[in-house]
Every structure is written in C-alpha cells, then in structure tokens.
C-alpha cells in the first residue's frame, strides 16, 4: 500500500527593497509575533482532532441525559402550579421587556445589557421555582396532571415502574430485521495491517503493544495469494485481535467477480464476531500509475461487481481502502459508495482529507513506517475512529 504523501509547503514571498533600521525593528517584532502565532496555531491543530473525537464520544452521553430529563421537564411544564406561576409573572415580564425596548438611546447600551442580564436572571429564577414546585407536586401526588405525569423513577428489581434509559447492548440479537442500534462511541482504537513482507509475527507482543485490530493481505489480482496468510490471519485472531482480510485489486487482470470469489476463498471469512468485513484495496496501477486503462465508468462497474459478489457471499458490503487522489482520478469523486466503510490512506497529516463522496473515514492508515512490538522492520499503522465497542459491532 503506497498512498499519496502530503504536498510540500509553498515558499513564502520575499521583499527585495532595502530596509531602514526602523523597518528592521518593526519587521523583527512582526516576525516574533508571527512565530508565536504559528506555534500556538500548530499546538491547537495538534489538539483539535483529539478534542473532536472526545466531543463525539461524549455526545451520546449528553443525549441520553437529555432524553432522561425530558419527561421530568414536561411534567413540570404541564403542572397546574407552574402554569399558575407563569400567569402571575407574565405581565411583569412583558412590562420589563417593554421598558428595555424603550431604552435604546445613545450612551445607554451598558444599562441595556445590565437590564437584559437582570431580566434573564428573573426568567431563570422562574424556571428554578417552577422546577421546585413541580417536583414537590409530583412527590405529593396532588392534582391529576402531576400525578399522571411523574414517570421518572428508578425501577426496583422485581417491581413495576419505568426503568431509566440505558445504553444499547451491542451484543443483543437483532429482532424483527430492524437495524441494530449503534454501539456507544469510544476513544480511537489502534491497529495495523500486514502482508507477507512482514514475515513471522509475534502476535501476543502486538496485542500487548496496544493494537486491537489487524488487516492481513489475502490476495493480489488474479494469481497471487499471501503464502503466510493462514499463519498471520489466525495468529492475529488467536491473540485476541479483531481481524480482517484485504484484496489488492487489479481491474485489468480479470473480472471483478472472479477476483472477489478467489479472494473470499483465500480469506476464509466467518461471521463470528471477531472478523471485520472483507476489504477492497483500490490503488493506482503500480506499473503505470494510472487507472488500469479503464474509464471512470468502467472502474465503477468493476467495483460494483466486486462489491455485489462480496455482499452475496458474506452479507456485508466490503470496506473500501483508497486515498483521495485515486478516488478523484479513477473514481471521479463518486458518492455511490458512501454507505461503505472507508479505510483512508494519508500520511504525515494531523487530519486526513476526506474524499468527495464520503462523509468521514472509519479507518485511517496514517503511517507506513511504524514500529510495533513483535514485528521486525516498519509496519503500517492504523486507527479506528469510533471506539472498541463499535469496532466489535462492525465485526459482528
């Protein structure tokens, strides 16, 4: 796998006129400020991907809290005590808003901001008072509305009542053919991919080095099979890594169905909860750097046939491995495969460029020169973005 490298940065413009001492001093100060600014921006850029992933991880938790509180908030809003309080305070709040609207003369903006803050505090106070009143009303059980709308209680084992919302069980069976709900998001997961070039591997050391998954080359084109596939693939699985197989596509060798069937025969795919969907490795022709003498439409047709064959035999769409330049050059930036998981190749960048046609990457191959315990020499390094629970779900 030889994905593209990031472009080299351009050379900044220079100013050729002779500087005066004052200009030199100014330029020195500006240069120092620019260096400081660049340092800060670089630090932020390095931290931003982690921050984005942590935010994505926490979002489902906040959503569950919001859903858990919704019945309580609705109970409070519908209680007679809260409505009575609203009716009493509404005229005063309306009068206060009218006064603020009238005070728009010059020099009074500070006062307006202060009064707006006071009004906001008053509204917040009304909400707090209503929360207390609604809670007390619900506990006392007085009034039909409050008594009927007090569902937020912790269930006691063996007794009736509503249970609080819980995280979906990723191991629960998928009943009725409905789509399985997504597993909870988690921190990114590290993994590798290997081929016969990596030789013998001590998979227990790989697992101890924090790697949770591996892709193993099964086949290349029409005639090549990885002679170490069984040893590498089953060794990774036996060590506890979630494992998948990939096929290096050569669309000019033979038909897509022929290559897909041969790949799956070698891959020994099993729906055992430990096997990732098969991977279609799409890269430029290693010999010419082009698109295998095929048009974009012909590349689409070949990829469609390969995908359909994999889906028929495994029940899964194949994961697509590609880099942005190949996707633009040979696939025409199509969005026809947006429902496939994307394994994106991009080295030496803080955040990879997403090819047109995909919303995001699922796996990111971010280095081809990593060092991993149990493997001699350089190793491809990868990351899965959505956490170990979703990785397990993808393998189920």
């Amino acid at each position: 796998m030889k994905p593209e490298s990031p472009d080299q940065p351009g050379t900044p413009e220079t100013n050729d006129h002779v500087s005066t001492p004052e200009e030199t001093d100014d330029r020195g100060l500006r240069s120092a400020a620019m260096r400081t600014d660049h340092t800060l921006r670089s630090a932020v850029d390095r931290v931003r991907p982690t921050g984005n992933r942590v935010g994505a991880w926490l979002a489902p938790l906040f959503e569950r809290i919001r859903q858990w509180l919704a019945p309580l908030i609705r109970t409070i809003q519908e209680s007679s005590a809260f409505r009575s309080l609203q009716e009493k305070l509404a005229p005063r709040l309306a009068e206060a808003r009218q006064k603020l609207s009238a005070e728009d003369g010059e020099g009074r903006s500070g006062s307006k901001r202060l009064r707006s803050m006071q009004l906001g505090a008053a509204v917040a106070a009304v909400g707090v008072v209503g929360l207390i009143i609604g809670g007390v009303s619900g506990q006392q059980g007085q009034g039909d509305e409050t008594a009927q709308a007090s569902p937020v209680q912790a269930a006691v084992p063996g007794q009736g009542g509503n249970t609080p919302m819980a995280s979906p069980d990723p191991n629960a069976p998928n009943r009725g053919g409905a789509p399985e709900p997504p597993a909870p998001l988690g921190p990114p997961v590290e993994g590798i991919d290997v081929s016969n070039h990596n030789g013998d591997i001590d998979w227990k050391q790989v697992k101890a080095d924090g790697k949770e998954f591996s892709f193993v080359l099964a086949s290349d084109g029409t005639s090549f099979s990885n002679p170490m596939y069984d040893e590498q693939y089953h060794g990774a699985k036996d060590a506890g890594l979630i494992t998948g197989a990939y096929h290096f596509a050569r669309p000019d060798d033979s038909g897509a169905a022929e290559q897909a069937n041969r790949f799956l025969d070698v891959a020994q795919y099993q729906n055992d909860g430990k096997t990732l969907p098969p991977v279609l490795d799409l890269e430029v022709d290693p010999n010419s750097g082009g698109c295998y003498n095929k048009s974009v439409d012909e590349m689409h047709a070949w990829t469609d046939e390969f995908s359909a064959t994999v889906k028929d035999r495994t029940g899964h769409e194949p994961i697509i491995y590609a880099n942005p330049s190949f996707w633009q050059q040979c696939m025409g930036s199509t969005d026809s495969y947006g429902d496939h998981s994307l394994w994106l190749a991009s080295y030496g960048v803080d955040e990879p460029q997403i090819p047109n046609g995909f919303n995001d990457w699922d796996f990111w191959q971010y280095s081809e020169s990593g060092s991993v315990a149990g493997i001699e020499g350089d190793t491809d390094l990868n990351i899965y973005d959505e956490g170990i629970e979703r990785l397990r779900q993808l393998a189920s």
Side-chain angles (χ1 to χ4, degrees), residues 228-273:
M228 302 193 70
Y229 178 76
D230 283 347
E231 178 184 339
Q232 292 176 337
Y233 179 78
H234 292 293
K237 273 194 166 184
D238 291 344
L241 280 77
I242 298 173
T243 309
Y246 73 91
H247 171 76
F248 189 98
R250 295 184 186 265
D252 59 345
D253 270 8
S254 59
E258 179 182 346
Q259 290 193 32
N261 281 314
R262 183 175 172 279
F263 163 52
L264 293 173
D265 291 342
V266 175
Q268 308 165 37
Y269 175 81
Q270 290 180 299
N271 189 8
D272 57 2

Side-chain angles (χ1 to χ4, degrees), residues 1 194-196 215-230 232-233 244-250 253-254 256-268 278-283 302 306 310:
M1 296 183 178
V194 298
S195 70
N196 52 299
F215 291 106
V216 180
L217 172 68
S219 53
D220 179 334
T222 303
S223 57
F224 179 83
S225 299
N226 178 3
M228 302 193 70
Y229 178 76
D230 283 347
Q232 292 176 337
Y233 179 78
Y246 73 91
H247 171 76
F248 189 98
R250 295 184 186 265
D253 270 8
S254 59
E258 179 182 346
Q259 290 193 32
N261 281 314
R262 183 175 172 279
F263 163 52
L264 293 173
D265 291 342
V266 175
Q268 308 165 37
V279 177
L280 172 59
D281 178 1
L282 290 171
E283 303 182 42
W302 196 96
F306 189 100
V310 170

